[in-house]
Amino acid sequence: MAGGLIALLDDVAALVKLSAASLDDVAAGASRAGAKAAGVVVDDAAVTPKFVEGVNPKRELPIIQRIALGSLFNKLVIILPVILLLSQFLPWLLTPLLMIGGTYLCFEGAEKVFERFGWIAHHEKETPAAEQSTDGAAAEKKVVRSAITTDFVLSCEIMVIALNEVAGESLTSRAVILAVVGVAITVGVYGVVALIVKMDDIGLHMAKKESAGQQKFGRFLVGAMPKLLALLSVVGTFAMLWVGGHIILVGTDELGFHALYGFVHHLEEPVAAIATVGGFLGWLVNTFFSLILGAIWGGIVVGIVFGIKALVKKDDTKDTAAA
């Protein structure tokens, strides 16, 4: 009996160790995957507050909550099963899909740069919130639907980028890691978005306090919000170009075109050999050239897209004149 109990306890201990190791693997995988998706996350945090501009302040947090739940549905119910099936049965599709997502990131980043310098006409994606004159349920539903649609594109990129980092894991591990990444990123992004959106309200509340220090800090918060949103937009643009460029850099190498990756890797090697800071310097070199590649790649795509738009518009004008 004692021997059987000891054996049982040994089995339990082994299971506990195995579970702990599995959790460590999941945590490590989620950390790697989440880090790679950082560029899209920053852009998500910069874009989302625009969807609640002009709404009743009392409805801001409920709307953000509904968008966050929609984002979770996008990631866990729609995107996760699809990309897991692809990774299991059509893994060769992942690199092209990832490069499509990277190209989209480069395009979005380059388009913002072009608009900033006035090289192309500036345009904003329509936000139903800005058009609202009432707080009706239909208008709020339109805001949420539009935000969730935009989130779907960003969520696809986040999940595919994350999957690429853990493609070598088992199917179960991939599923758990991606679910953890999806939940963590959604909670993190929309938690930050909620804080940003309510920052001016918090500042106004503090500005009415009796304490001079609280009043000063409250006014600082109110004045800092537009600057913070502007900073997030700039950081998000650079992050999109960097992440998108890195995806293209690695993707071309995996598809057999080694020149670009080999060139960057060759430049990394001398600085990577420097003691203590070599790893960081190597990362900086890779990031810099990924950013440059992303800007060039995105610029080419912007030129193609706007060229096609101009041709279509020209044809439409001719047809109208002929009619």
Side-chain angles (χ1 to χ4, degrees):
M1 177 69 72
L5 180 59
I6 291 172
L8 177 61
L9 290 174
D10 284 342
D11 291 340
V12 170
L15 285 172
V16 169
K17 289 180 180 178
L18 181 61
S19 298
S22 298
L23 288 174
D24 286 342
D25 290 342
V26 168
S31 177
R32 294 198 315 272
K36 278 292 183 179
V40 190
V41 170
V42 175
D43 187 56
D44 209 355
V47 168
T48 306
K50 296 178 182 178
F51 284 97
V52 291
E53 289 179 357
V55 303
N56 186 330
K58 293 181 181 180
R59 297 301 305 160
E60 288 174 345
L61 291 182
I63 288 174
I64 291 171
Q65 182 182 30
R66 290 176 63 185
I67 296 171
L69 290 174
S71 179
L72 276 177
F73 185 87
N74 284 342
K75 292 182 179 76
L76 302 183
V77 180
I78 301 175
I79 300 168
L80 180 59
V82 172
I83 64 173
L84 282 176
L85 287 172
L86 286 176
S87 69
Q88 190 68 19
F89 299 107
L90 297 170
W92 56 270
L93 264 180
L94 289 178
T95 296
L97 285 175
L98 196 62
M99 291 182 70
I100 291 172
T103 298
Y104 177 78
L105 285 176
C106 293
F107 167 77
E108 285 281 296
E111 185 184 34
K112 289 181 179 180
V113 173
F114 280 31
E115 288 175 352
R116 179 69 179 82
F117 286 98
W119 297 338
I120 60 175
H122 181 77
H123 75 280
E124 290 287 344
K125 293 177 182 177
E126 287 188 6
T127 53
E131 301 169 0
Q132 284 184 204
S133 58
T134 64
D135 297 325
E140 186 172 305
K141 186 177 180 181
K142 189 178 180 183
V143 173
V144 173
R145 185 168 59 248
S146 179
I148 291 174
T149 301
T150 300
D151 173 271
F152 183 81
V153 177
L154 298 172
S155 292
C156 283
E157 294 166 10
I158 288 169
M159 297 298 278
V160 174
I161 290 170
L163 174 63
N164 190 59
E165 286 301 300
V166 294
E169 303 288 342
S170 67
L171 179 62
T172 302
S173 294
R174 269 176 278 157
V176 174
I177 289 170
L178 290 176
V180 170
V181 169
V183 172
I185 284 179
T186 303
V187 171
V189 166
Y190 288 99
V192 170
V193 168
L195 183 62
I196 291 171
V197 166
K198 301 306 291 183
M199 193 167 76
D200 55 347
D201 291 341
I202 295 170
L204 286 172
H205 178 73
M206 294 184 69
K208 296 176 182 178
K209 296 288 186 179
E210 294 182 3
S211 167
Q214 286 184 320
Q215 290 177 7
K216 186 176 180 180
F217 187 67
R219 289 192 294 271
F220 167 77
L221 288 179
V222 173
M225 182 177 174
K227 295 176 182 177
L228 176 61
L229 289 175
L231 177 63
L232 272 177
S233 180
V234 171
V235 172
T237 298
F238 279 98
M240 283 190 293
L241 291 173
W242 156 52
V243 174
H246 185 74
I247 290 171
I248 300 302
L249 183 69
V250 175
T252 53
D253 183 66
E254 291 180 355
L255 292 178
F257 183 72
H258 307 297
L260 288 174
Y261 187 87
F263 172 74
V264 174
H265 183 67
H266 177 71
L267 293 176
E268 280 183 67
E269 288 180 338
V271 295
I274 299 173
T276 309
V277 295
F280 176 69
L281 292 177
W283 176 83
L284 278 181
V285 170
N286 188 290
T287 298
F288 174 76
F289 283 100
S290 294
L291 178 64
I292 297 300
L293 176 61
I296 295 172
W297 191 274
I300 292 171
V301 177
V302 168
I304 293 171
V305 169
F306 277 80
I308 293 172
K309 284 184 177 180
L311 289 174
V312 171
K313 187 176 181 180
K314 186 176 180 181
D315 288 341
D316 288 344
T317 304
K318 286 182 179 179
D319 291 341
T320 303

